[in-house]
Amino acid sequence: MNQSMRPQRELRPALVFLTGDLLAVPIPLEREEVILGRALEADVRINDKKISRKHAKIRTIHDTRSNTTEYVVTDLNSRNGTLLNGEKITQEKLQNGDKITIGENILRFELLDEIDREYQRQIHRLLSHDDLTGLLSSRSFFSELRREAARAKTENRPFCVLMMDVDHFKNVNDTYGHLTGSKTLEEIGACITQNLRSGDVAARFGGEEFAAFLLDAELGQALVAGERIRAEIENQEFSVVRQGKFSKAHRVTISIGIAAFPNDSSDPIELVEMADSALYRAKREGRNRVCAYRDLTAEEATQPLPSRS
């Protein structure tokens, strides 16, 4: 085909994270003005203490007479400044491939077609999800958890963190082999997902350890949800892999620990540590059980469980 006869690709502006929690995520610049910063109302919100609440903006400028479009980045009097290709700027025109540094994050300005955007999304998914279970990786889980904690503080809403560990999982590998062990973890991941509500977040922390956080859930509600997951796994038959074929033949159990925001802590990392402490109490008390970091109050014990829809 003649070069001039090829269909023109529709290129759209985007920012692609080269570092940080959002590594490889393409952020389309769909508005005439896009604010980057730490504030909840920022169009591109980045959780970095070195970034100002409203740090920089990118404007799209259309010239109808020449039928051209320009993209301009402007620093918004930020505390630590905005760098373009390593140089501190006040305002500059963007070119395809330019690198913008704000705080500890580097973003590349790119003009992407749909295939490019889908490729970037797939790269991000590979980096942010566990390839065996499809759940979030531990790094991505902490990123989502920090965002949820910030939202919950602003909106005064509760949530709970669950830490989960498969009991005596080494016996599965020793008895049935590592292929069965991997298949079991995959099926446990699916079981956890099926027993969470839409919007709840689950992750594989590595090995046989899983985590989740439940949106808008008090401690009593999380205990019911945790018990639902525990019972489902206890009652499920898991696959045994022999010569490439599957047969339903073995069972496992899981122990779960829970901590609640904000009554246990308002710090997301501390919440995970508290839930982990409750998990190990469940292990010490005999495994195959759900334990909270602290006892329920009378008010928490009467909270209804939110719908899984």
Side-chain angles (χ1 to χ4, degrees), residues 72-199:
V72 176
V73 58
T74 303
D75 181 74
L76 298 176
N77 298 315
S78 64
R79 184 174 67 254
N80 293 313
T82 299
L83 277 64
L84 183 64
N85 300 323
E87 299 291 331
K88 202 165 189 177
I89 58 102
T90 300
Q91 180 172 293
E92 289 290 338
K93 191 185 302 182
L94 288 169
Q95 303 293 331
N96 194 21
D98 278 349
K99 297 177 181 65
I100 303 167
T101 302
I102 59 174
E104 295 183 346
N105 292 261
I106 302 174
L107 304 91
R108 186 170 59 221
F109 174 77
E110 293 193 12
L111 297 172
L112 304 176
D113 63 16
E114 182 53 39
I115 294 175
D116 293 328
R117 291 193 294 274
E118 181 57 30
Y119 171 75
Q120 292 289 356
R121 286 191 286 264
Q122 291 299 328
I123 291 295
H124 173 64
R125 179 168 179 80
L126 288 172
L127 292 171
S128 62
H129 288 71
D130 172 57
D131 58 359
L132 178 63
T133 63
L135 301 180
L136 287 182
S137 66
S138 58
R139 175 177 175 171
S140 296
F141 178 82
F142 278 112
S143 176
E144 293 294 325
L145 182 61
R146 284 193 291 268
R147 273 196 282 275
E148 174 57 23
R151 184 191 73 90
K153 286 178 184 177
T154 301
E155 300 177 6
N156 193 29
R157 303 173 78 167
F159 71 89
C160 289
V161 172
L162 278 65
M163 293 296 293
M164 300 169 271
D165 190 83
V166 184
D167 299 323
H168 299 301
F169 186 73
K170 184 176 182 297
N171 292 345
V172 176
N173 286 328
D174 291 347
T175 304
Y176 302 106
H178 289 277
L179 286 178
T180 293
S182 295
K183 185 64 178 175
T184 301
L185 292 173
E186 180 185 346
E187 292 174 345
I188 288 172
C191 184
I192 290 170
T193 301
Q194 290 163 7
N195 282 278
L196 295 177
R197 298 163 298 150
S198 174

Side-chain angles (χ1 to χ4, degrees), residues 135-285:
L135 301 180
L136 287 182
S137 66
S138 58
R139 175 177 175 171
S140 296
F141 178 82
F142 278 112
S143 176
E144 293 294 325
L145 182 61
R146 284 193 291 268
R147 273 196 282 275
E148 174 57 23
R151 184 191 73 90
K153 286 178 184 177
T154 301
E155 300 177 6
N156 193 29
R157 303 173 78 167
F159 71 89
C160 289
V161 172
L162 278 65
M163 293 296 293
M164 300 169 271
D165 190 83
V166 184
D167 299 323
H168 299 301
F169 186 73
K170 184 176 182 297
N171 292 345
V172 176
N173 286 328
D174 291 347
T175 304
Y176 302 106
H178 289 277
L179 286 178
T180 293
S182 295
K183 185 64 178 175
T184 301
L185 292 173
E186 180 185 346
E187 292 174 345
I188 288 172
C191 184
I192 290 170
T193 301
Q194 290 163 7
N195 282 278
L196 295 177
R197 298 163 298 150
S198 174
D200 293 339
V201 175
R204 183 185 175 204
F205 263 40
E208 61 271 23
E209 192 169 22
F210 297 83
F213 64 79
L214 312 183
L215 303 176
D216 300 318
E218 302 281 2
L219 180 57
Q221 299 165 333
L223 283 166
V224 174
E227 177 59 26
R228 185 169 60 217
I229 293 170
R230 185 209 63 76
E232 187 79 15
I233 289 173
E234 181 184 35
N235 293 324
Q236 181 167 328
E237 291 185 322
F238 291 90
S239 299
V240 171
V241 184
R242 289 196 179 96
Q243 297 178 341
K245 296 181 180 180
F246 301 108
S247 60
K248 296 284 187 179
H250 86 97
R251 294 178 183 271
V252 296
T253 61
I254 197 166
S255 298
I256 301 174
I258 300 173
F261 173 97
N263 290 344
D264 290 332
S265 175
S266 58
D267 178 82
I269 305 303
E270 192 172 33
L271 277 173
V272 170
E273 292 172 349
M274 289 174 167
D276 206 45
S277 175
L279 164 63
Y280 282 97
R281 181 156 66 88
K283 293 283 191 182
R284 289 194 304 271
E285 293 180 1

